[in-house]
Amino acid sequence: MNIQQVKAMMELQALGNLGSIASSSSEGTNVFQTVLDRALQTTGTDTLGSVQNLLNTMPHHASSPTLALSQENDASKSQETGIDSIISRAAERYGIPAKLIHSVVKQESGYDPSATSHAGAAGLMQLMPGTARGLGVTDVFDPEQNVFAGSKYLKQMLVKYDGDMKLALAAYNAGPGNVDKYSGVPPFQETQNYVRKIMDSYYA
């Protein structure tokens, strides 16, 4: 490749970058075409392959699938960050570890604000209708109301059982009546698995 070819390609590269800013300008298009024609006349047919390679490697517009996927990930990240903020504030208000609330939310709903169970529990922390009403929740699917109410209830269970996390979690899942009845974690497979999974997540 001679000096003229190198010079032509450098000009094309610079104008190619400019083209992403002024793609709607006919003037920019005309300038690019002029330089392309000059490059072909000056350097011969060998330049054509280089020009085609350069055009093939130019960035796509914002409608490309890669950028669309990136924007989708950003939206998902934004939602997760919003829930994280709610959990942090609830943890601070009720004086319980944010990681514990995260572990409960992960186990209860997998961070899905619209999750529901066959028993009627709903939202991020899977509040039962009666519990939600008693805690002043007006919209169980509202992430902030749900997390704050669920955290408040979890705090109540921790106080009731003198900070015993296993008993508090068992009460959250099976109700304090069953914990009191069996004087510990009830012998229900679902509750025992629930307590174990959350404890494992919390101490991971």
Side-chain angles (χ1 to χ4, degrees):
M1 180 180 291
N2 59 36
I3 294 292
Q4 291 297 330
Q5 288 177 312
V6 172
K7 181 178 178 183
M9 290 187 65
M10 289 177 66
E11 290 176 336
L12 287 172
Q13 178 71 55
L15 287 170
N17 292 336
L18 179 62
S20 64
I21 299 174
S23 57
S24 61
S25 167
S26 59
E27 181 182 353
T29 303
N30 291 336
V31 171
F32 186 83
Q33 186 62 50
T34 300
V35 174
L36 176 61
D37 291 340
R38 185 180 0 136
L40 291 174
Q41 293 168 6
T42 304
T43 61
T45 56
D46 287 345
T47 307
L48 184 59
S50 299
V51 170
Q52 186 61 53
N53 290 339
L54 176 62
L55 294 176
N56 288 340
T57 58
M58 287 176 65
H60 297 291
H61 292 309
S63 58
S64 70
T66 302
L67 185 58
L69 180 60
S70 174
Q71 291 171 339
E72 207 171 76
N73 289 340
D74 287 345
S76 175
K77 184 178 180 181
S78 175
Q79 182 182 17
E80 291 174 3
T81 302
I83 293 174
D84 185 71
S85 174
I86 292 170
I87 290 175
S88 295
R89 287 186 282 114
E92 184 176 357
R93 174 176 294 186
Y94 298 111
I96 56 180
K99 190 173 182 181
L100 177 59
I101 302 174
H102 271 288
S103 297
V104 171
V105 169
K106 180 181 177 182
Q107 179 62 32
E108 289 284 4
S109 66
Y111 292 93
D112 180 4
S114 63
T116 56
S117 75
H118 64 278
L124 287 168
M125 295 189 75
Q126 291 290 279
L127 301 177
M128 293 295 290
T131 303
R133 283 194 301 271
L135 293 166
V137 175
T138 57
D139 181 1
V140 76
F141 295 110
D142 177 76
E144 183 153 349
Q145 288 193 47
N146 193 291
V147 169
F148 270 74
S151 299
K152 182 178 181 179
Y153 184 66
L154 184 58
K155 174 67 173 185
Q156 291 173 350
M157 295 302 100
L158 285 165
V159 171
K160 178 178 174 63
Y161 296 107
D162 299 319
D164 189 317
M165 195 178 295
K166 287 184 178 180
L167 294 184
L169 291 170
Y172 192 96
N173 177 259
N178 280 314
V179 174
D180 295 343
K181 177 181 178 180
Y182 293 100
S183 299
V185 178
F188 310 144
Q189 191 65 48
E190 177 188 337
T191 301
Q192 292 180 352
N193 288 339
Y194 176 88
V195 172
R196 177 179 53 79
K197 287 179 181 179
I198 292 180
M199 294 292 287
D200 287 348
S201 174
Y202 178 70
Y203 286 111

